[in-house]
Amino acid sequence: MLYEHATIITVDTTRRIIYDGSILVRDDIIADIGKTQVLAARYANEPRYDLSNHIVMPGMVSTHMHCVQSILRGIAEDRDLVSWMCDRIWVAQGNITGPEAYAAARMSMAEMLRGGTTCFIESLWAERYGFENLVRAVDESGIRGCLGKVVMDVNPDQPAFRIKMHHGLVEDGSSLDNAVSMYDRWHGTSNGRVQVWFGARTPGGVTTSLYQKMTDIAKKKGIHITMHCLEEKEDRDVFTRMGKGPMEYCDEVGILGEKTVMIHMVWPDDDDIHRLAQTGTHIAHCPSSNLKLGSGFAPIPKYLAANVNVGIGCDGAPCSNTLDLFQEMSLAAKSQKGLLQDPKVLPAETMIEMATVRGAKAVGLEDQIGSLEVGKKADFIAIQTKNLHQLPVYDPVSTIVHATNARDVNHVVVDGKLLLKDGCLVTLDEEEVIREALKAGKDVLERSGLANQVHSSWPAE
């Protein structure tokens, strides 16, 4: 298939932009890319797909996601992180069944695909949800998933608020063995679209011995790790009680490294940043979540200046309320410009890199996705540019970051397959996905005793 007549933001090594460009897809690979006039003549007998008035860019990579939380959107508004988590989210998640988790995962993947996210990291899929349900949703939807199975045990010395984890989510050290089994069974399936990771619980809630066992296995088998860390300022106190700096501890137990994505990392000190850079550890930046929960501002310009690779993520639906990476790109840039009083920090070009090539590097797939180049996987999105809020388009990069939202995505191709066509999902029945997810959410709130607590603070008649 020759996708033609688009403005193509390649994000290749030269960062070239091709006006009136075309992409030739053969099977699941980009076979050629260039000016439409050249490729149309070169491949005169190829079927063609007209992308006039579209900007084409690599599919975006969300480096942090909780797929099960899509059915919990809006149940914990205007709360601090501890109250948000302990009193609402953990309570609801501890009551979710396998079929409900499957419905939630499909809802999340449908929303991500409709918004141009073609690859994501799931951070903490619990045993109770059934790992096969997550894999099934990835396989059916056509998206790429780096799927973090929870690894945890019960640390008797953990901070008081972590003890409040709902009993339905508590797992013991066998969670590591189960995660290894999931890796052996599912990793690399669905034509490589399923990747199985370790989703380590946050430090303070896990024993040091389990971390060490996990990282030993990860190194031997080449398994990637993702873990929340330093999301709240108070998280530093956990490490103080250990007598270690945050990244000093993580480094000593083997967590840091090129196959690890640390989530949030809002409150590092200079030593933490240095260790992240020295070990090649990646960061998942979630600006909407950090701002909405009042967690603070991650020092993204400092990370980038130290050559720490930073990707971007939406976090779960109750954190940011929408899985829109365009919103995250724009907010990440604007918040840092205002915080630092410097309009030059985090230009639009950097934000697109964070959502594409930097995200691809974070998940270890930079040789396959993240840029549009011959020989790479055919993962790309086409954004229609005929809406009032986007026009005129003088700079397509700026238009994407600061004038586009998820609803503007018109086509999505993953692994060479068209998954979104003219704004409609091809692999998923959107009406069915919504219907089943809404039922699942309602049932979970009833079962968890939250149904009568979730409502507007204004009086209703």
Side-chain angles (χ1 to χ4, degrees):
M1 178 70 71
L2 186 65
Y3 294 86
E4 60 183 0
H5 298 303
T7 296
I8 303 175
I9 303 174
T10 64
V11 204
D12 64 9
T13 54
T14 66
R15 301 298 193 259
R16 63 179 174 150
I17 296 173
I18 306 172
Y19 289 95
D20 194 9
S22 291
I23 300 175
L24 177 67
V25 175
R26 293 268 172 83
D27 297 322
D28 60 348
I29 299 296
I30 296 174
D32 207 347
I33 185 169
K35 300 289 281 187
T36 294
Q37 183 178 5
V38 174
L39 267 61
R42 188 179 294 166
Y43 306 105
N45 296 324
E46 281 287 335
R48 299 184 181 185
Y49 201 102
D50 187 4
L51 291 179
S52 299
N53 298 314
H54 285 78
I55 296 173
V56 167
M57 62 177 282
M60 295 186 289
V61 180
S62 180
T63 51
H64 181 48
M65 176 59 187
H66 295 271
C67 284
V68 80
Q69 290 182 0
S70 63
I71 58 174
L72 308 178
R73 191 190 323 259
I75 75 164
E77 297 299 279
D78 305 317
R79 290 170 172 260
D80 63 88
L81 178 61
V82 173
S83 170
W84 177 92
M85 187 163 52
C86 298
D87 299 338
R88 290 289 175 88
I89 302 302
W90 277 351
V91 174
Q93 287 190 210
N95 280 279
I96 292 177
T97 65
E100 290 162 350
Y102 170 66
R106 291 213 305 164
M107 178 88 148
S108 293
M109 293 172 202
E111 184 178 354
M112 285 191 283
L113 284 172
R114 287 211 54 176
T117 296
T118 57
C119 179
F120 70 95
I121 303 176
E122 160 62 42
S123 59
L124 289 170
W125 191 261
E127 190 76 25
R128 68 176 294 112
Y129 305 150
F131 200 78
E132 69 280 1
N133 290 318
L134 183 60
V135 172
R136 179 183 168 199
V138 170
D139 183 66
E140 291 173 347
S141 67
I143 202 169
R144 294 188 190 280
C146 303
L147 311 180
K149 165 66 183 67
V150 166
V151 175
M152 65 172 290
D153 59 4
V154 179
N155 180 2
D157 300 321
Q158 63 186 310
F161 81 89
R162 297 201 188 283
I163 298 174
K164 295 182 179 180
M165 174 176 273
H166 189 275
H167 61 84
L169 294 175
V170 175
E171 300 181 28
D172 60 23
S174 65
S175 63
L176 175 57
D177 297 329
N178 293 334
V180 173
S181 296
M182 295 303 99
Y183 177 86
D184 291 339
R185 181 178 179 185
W186 298 111
H187 184 75
T189 58
S190 298
N191 196 35
R193 288 188 292 103
V194 170
Q195 306 283 307
V196 180
W197 288 33
F198 288 152
R201 193 186 175 201
T202 310
V206 180
T207 61
T208 295
S209 60
L210 186 68
Y211 278 140
Q212 291 171 329
K213 184 179 178 182
M214 177 191 72
T215 56
D216 285 344
I217 294 172
K219 287 177 173 60
K220 289 175 183 176
K221 298 178 76 74
I223 301 175
H224 291 248
I225 298 169
T226 188
M227 185 179 77
H228 295 70
C229 199
L230 295 182
E231 183 174 2
E232 293 281 292
K233 193 173 185 179
E234 291 75 11
D235 285 347
R236 296 195 66 89
D237 297 339
V238 174
F239 298 97
T240 299
R241 287 196 292 270
M242 297 177 183
K244 303 283 186 181
M247 293 306 100
E248 178 186 13
Y249 173 81
C250 291
D251 199 7
E252 287 184 2
V253 299
I255 289 173
L256 302 189
E258 294 180 354
K259 292 191 174 184
T260 294
V261 176
M262 302 292 276
I263 307 159
H264 298 304
M265 291 299 297
V266 177
W267 294 100
D269 61 18
D270 289 344
D271 179 70
D272 296 324
I273 294 174
H274 174 73
R275 287 177 183 270
L276 292 166
Q278 289 297 107
T279 57
T281 306
H282 314 277
I283 301 295
H285 177 42
C286 305
S288 287
S289 175
N290 296 155
L291 292 174
K292 188 166 183 280
L293 292 170
S295 300
F297 299 85
I300 303 306
K302 277 190 176 183
Y303 283 133
L304 296 178
N307 292 318
V308 176
N309 183 50
V310 182
I312 197 161
C314 292
D315 210 334
C319 308
S320 60
N321 289 59
T322 177
L323 308 181
D324 184 347
L325 277 180
F326 297 99
Q327 170 184 278
E328 301 299 329
M329 284 193 287
S330 185
L331 185 59
K334 289 171 181 173
S335 60
Q336 294 291 335
K337 292 174 190 292
L339 178 67
L340 301 176
Q341 299 179 57
D342 183 355
K344 296 180 181 179
V345 300
L346 297 189
E349 290 80 6
T350 298
M351 299 320 303
I352 282 191
E353 289 173 346
M354 286 171 60
T356 57
V357 290
R358 287 182 173 274
K361 183 178 180 181
V363 300
L365 296 175
E366 66 269 34
D367 61 334
Q368 299 182 50
I369 64 172
S371 62
L372 302 180
E373 302 178 67
V374 173
K376 281 198 168 185
K377 290 283 191 178
D379 286 20
F380 59 88
I381 63 177
I383 298 101
Q384 201 163 35
T385 54
K386 65 176 186 180
N387 301 300
L388 287 171
H389 62 269
Q390 295 172 301
L391 299 173
V393 179
Y394 297 124
D395 176 359
V397 176
S398 176
T399 296
I400 289 297
V401 174
H402 294 302
T404 295
N405 61 60
R407 293 180 295 277
D408 299 322
V409 177
N410 210 30
H411 308 287
V412 172
V413 175
V414 178
D415 237 16
K417 297 180 175 61
L418 196 61
L419 305 185
L420 184 77
K421 182 178 180 182
D422 295 321
C424 297
L425 291 166
V426 175
T427 54
L428 296 171
D429 182 333
E430 186 170 343
E431 290 186 2
E432 178 189 57
V433 166
I434 292 172
R435 183 172 61 252
E436 292 183 354
L438 290 178
K439 181 181 184 304
K442 181 180 179 180
D443 290 347
V444 168
L445 292 190
E446 290 286 350
R447 193 181 308 121
S448 60
L450 294 173
N452 293 327
Q453 299 179 39
V454 179
H455 51 72
S456 173
S457 59
W458 287 357
E461 296 181 357

